[in-house]
Amino acid sequence: MYYILIPSAFSLFAVVWQETIDGPKVYRIFLSDKRKPLEKLVHSNFADVSFRSCSFIKVLGEQINKFLEGESIIFKLEAVALEECSEFQRKVLSACFDIPRGWISTYGRIAESLGIAGGARAVGSALSHNSFPIVIPCHRVVRSDGHSGGFMSGPEMKRSLLELEKIRFAKNGKVLTDRIYY
């Protein structure tokens, strides 16, 4: 396993990857975390990881950076190691991946689209363990009451990411949009 640290508009982020038969695969993207330095976060989750990059990972890092600067980037789902996730989480992450830029969905709507009545909490739990933030845009999923909900790098970053996509907020913090997916 390898990792690279990439500076961005939102501070550093890290990409953990591995060379596979099919080429490089991303196993984890760590966004900046105020509680723990990024390199320590990488090493505490991946014991035998070394600092190294390749052209594919550099391009992915540039794409993530452009996304964080507000550009519309379409990532490739094949770039991430979804096979490391449970079957349920793969379904949730795939559904989340399909939400277009500038749109939102809710945990409950995603659950319903997957045929899981009352499964909003299960969807929220699966998204809280999204190893591929930005590539799989879990920031586009909000609570059914319109509040933004959780995000691994904090609610401020989630709001900033949504605002980059032209999603507006009311003074009470609720999302203002009629562009709801699912």
Side-chain angles (χ1 to χ4, degrees), residues 82-156:
L82 280 178
E83 63 274 8
E84 297 294 310
C85 303
S86 71
E87 183 179 345
F88 175 71
Q89 190 181 28
R90 277 194 306 271
K91 288 178 182 178
V92 171
L93 293 176
S94 293
C96 185
F97 182 80
D98 290 340
I99 302 168
R101 180 180 180 81
W103 290 68
I104 57 139
S105 192
T106 67
Y107 303 104
R109 283 177 178 263
I110 290 175
E112 286 176 24
S113 79
L114 296 174
I116 306 164
R121 285 185 188 266
V123 167
S125 179
L127 290 177
S128 74
H129 295 93
N130 176 10
S131 295
F132 318 106
I134 308 302
V135 172
I136 296 179
C138 56
H139 64 276
R140 294 180 184 151
V141 183
V142 301
R143 293 179 4 192
S144 61
D145 67 2
H147 285 95
S148 64
F151 190 66
M152 63 187 63
S153 291
E156 299 85 13

